[in-house]
Amino acid sequence: MRQVTVTEHVLLHQTKSPAASGQFTTLLYDLILAAKIIARGVNKAGLLDILGATGEINVQGEQVQKLDELANRTLIHRMERTGVLCAMASEENADLIRIPDKFKRGEYILIFDPLDGSSNIDVNINVGTIFSIHKRISPSDEDVTLADVLQRGTEQVAAGYFLYGSSTMLVYSSGQGVHGFTLDPSVGEFLLSHPDIRIPERGKVYSVNESYYHYWDEPTRRIVNHFKGTDNDRGAPYSLRYVGSLVADFHRNLLNGGIFMYPMDYRIPSKPQGKLRLMCEASPLAFVAEQAGGAAIDGNRRILDIQPGELHERVPLFIGSAKDVAVVSEMYAQARQD
Ligand code: AHM
Ligand code: MG
């Protein structure tokens, strides 16, 4: 079978895509390189303690870094040099990351969660990098501002994730469907393995951290009870699957169907909130979900329509198969009327 590399695929689809530009191809190329370096680190994670005898310095004389720190530094280091970005934002950095004066700047903005689910690394469970790409809105001869970054999800030029699992995958969309590529380590290339991914209309899986049940409001409890009960459209309980790595949970549901939920909870009674970040987690995955025929809401609003107020804004998230997400929307709407 003829194998299509990710670069080839981007070039083939360039004419159709709003992301079409040489700059976009460069951006993706460098992002992929960063992800390959992170994947190498993730694969060696179990060895780092062994290799770094003191826990500080490894046999190459390098500082042993925590992997999420390594992922963040790798992305910033690689991507500030591409010449196509004017700013970045990372889950790990409080503020906007500006491109230093010594590097060329471009039109694009990259927002990322460098290593999502990083608490899972020590137990050898899948983690991932989530990314979102926007174009700046202010004139290119002016300083980039926070307003350039605080754009609605609908304005994303492209979004996706790398999943560091039993194999490393890239799943992304530039508004022309969702495509999955698997890294062939023998040649170091991402090859098209999942063209035009479509999420099933309805799934058989619900994914939620149910231990927060007592911190949820009544409508949320009813929604979760709906999926685990028998009085739903399946007429049977959905299976519960929760890895605790958003990328891994999302990826499984994207391919097989189902719904991932991280509702608002009252763990801090004075400040009920969701956990996941709108800009570097919810929005990029919402873009992918919708492009695959699925849906993503915060319970009430479409995730992609939410205007971010700040960089690290958190949001409740219900994402996955369209019909399953619609049930959530209807049940919350009903609860607001009662
Ligand atoms: P992180 O970005 O600090 O890794 O947190 C996000 C992760 C998600 O990957 C996952 O879905 C969620 O946190 C799990 O949270 P919880 O342990 O509360 O269920
Ligand atoms: Mg995360």
Side-chain angles (χ1 to χ4, degrees):
M1 193 188 80
R2 206 182 82 74
Q3 291 174 332
V4 180
T5 68
V6 62
T7 321
E8 222 179 313
H9 190 267
V10 173
L11 289 171
L12 277 172
H13 287 74
Q14 265 213 354
T15 44
K16 289 190 246 158
S17 167
S21 78
Q23 282 205 7
F24 180 74
T25 316
T26 305
L27 198 173
L28 208 62
Y29 179 86
D30 283 324
L31 192 60
I32 287 169
L33 181 56
K36 284 181 195 168
I37 295 169
I38 297 168
R40 185 184 61 187
V42 171
N43 287 339
K44 280 204 279 185
L47 288 170
L48 285 181
D49 281 344
I50 301 166
L51 297 177
T54 63
E56 300 260 318
I57 306 289
N58 70 15
V59 285
Q60 280 91 33
E62 297 159 342
Q63 197 85 20
V64 177
Q65 292 169 4
K66 279 176 64 198
L67 264 178
D68 38 7
E69 214 175 284
L70 177 126
N72 197 39
R73 284 197 199 170
T74 301
L75 279 159
I76 295 172
H77 179 85
R78 279 255 61 82
M79 301 313 293
E80 66 185 2
R81 289 166 164 70
T82 60
V84 302
L85 294 180
C86 56
M88 288 183 270
S90 164
E91 189 188 289
E92 301 288 335
N93 294 56
D95 301 317
L96 191 63
I97 305 164
R98 292 171 193 281
I99 306 300
D101 287 338
K102 60 182 172 185
F103 300 124
K104 199 170 157 261
R105 297 194 182 96
E107 294 296 296
Y108 289 98
I109 292 158
L110 176 67
I111 305 169
F112 55 87
D113 178 354
L115 211 57
D116 176 68
S118 51
S119 61
N120 279 320
I121 294 168
D122 290 348
V123 285
N124 208 359
I125 285 175
N126 301 356
V127 289
T129 298
I130 309 175
F131 62 90
S132 160
I133 299 167
H134 286 267
K135 265 193 167 171
R136 67 180 297 171
I137 43 179
S138 62
S140 48
D141 54 347
E142 288 178 15
D143 272 354
V144 69
T145 65
L146 196 56
D148 283 307
V149 181
L150 299 180
Q151 295 187 47
R152 286 190 176 87
T154 44
E155 303 311 308
Q156 288 172 105
V157 172
Y161 56 88
F162 294 90
L163 173 65
Y164 312 111
S166 46
S167 52
T168 298
M169 279 195 75
L170 161 64
V171 175
Y172 94 102
S173 173
S174 57
Q176 304 286 318
V178 178
H179 308 285
F181 302 82
T182 303
L183 180 64
D184 180 341
S186 64
V187 289
E189 280 281 5
F190 280 94
L191 302 174
L192 182 63
S193 52
H194 298 66
D196 203 12
I197 297 169
R198 303 298 295 167
I199 183 168
E201 266 197 327
R202 174 171 284 123
K204 299 177 187 160
V205 160
Y206 75 108
S207 312
V208 68
N209 187 339
E210 224 170 317
S211 68
Y212 301 135
Y213 189 88
H214 296 288
Y215 297 112
W216 293 335
D217 58 20
E218 205 41 50
T220 305
R221 291 180 191 169
R222 279 206 294 273
I223 286 164
V224 173
N225 285 338
H226 171 88
F227 287 111
K228 63 196 264 190
T230 51
D231 188 19
N232 54 40
D233 287 322
R234 275 199 81 217
Y238 283 49
S239 289
L240 170 62
R241 297 281 182 273
Y242 192 72
V243 174
S245 247
L246 174 61
V247 175
D249 278 313
F250 176 80
H251 184 71
R252 180 200 52 244
N253 293 358
L254 177 71
L255 296 186
N256 295 343
I259 182 164
F260 174 92
M261 302 180 267
Y262 207 114
M264 177 194 82
D265 66 57
Y266 284 81
R267 269 175 283 171
I268 307 170
S270 60
K271 199 180 170 201
Q273 60 178 358
K275 174 183 181 184
L276 300 173
R277 280 67 157 203
L278 173 61
M279 300 204 63
C280 62
E281 294 176 320
S283 228
L285 296 186
F287 188 80
V288 172
E290 286 200 7
Q291 281 290 320
I297 58 169
D298 71 348
N300 178 19
R301 299 167 296 177
R302 179 186 176 213
I303 292 289
L304 293 182
D305 283 338
I306 300 175
Q307 171 63 52
E310 52 175 304
L311 218 47
H312 295 282
E313 186 167 324
R314 293 172 191 266
V315 71
L317 178 64
F318 301 83
I319 189 167
S321 293
K323 287 193 169 165
D324 293 324
V325 174
V327 166
V328 173
S329 175
E330 282 155 25
M331 289 184 76
Y332 274 127
Q334 185 61 50
R336 280 194 298 277
Q337 277 171 22
D338 289 346

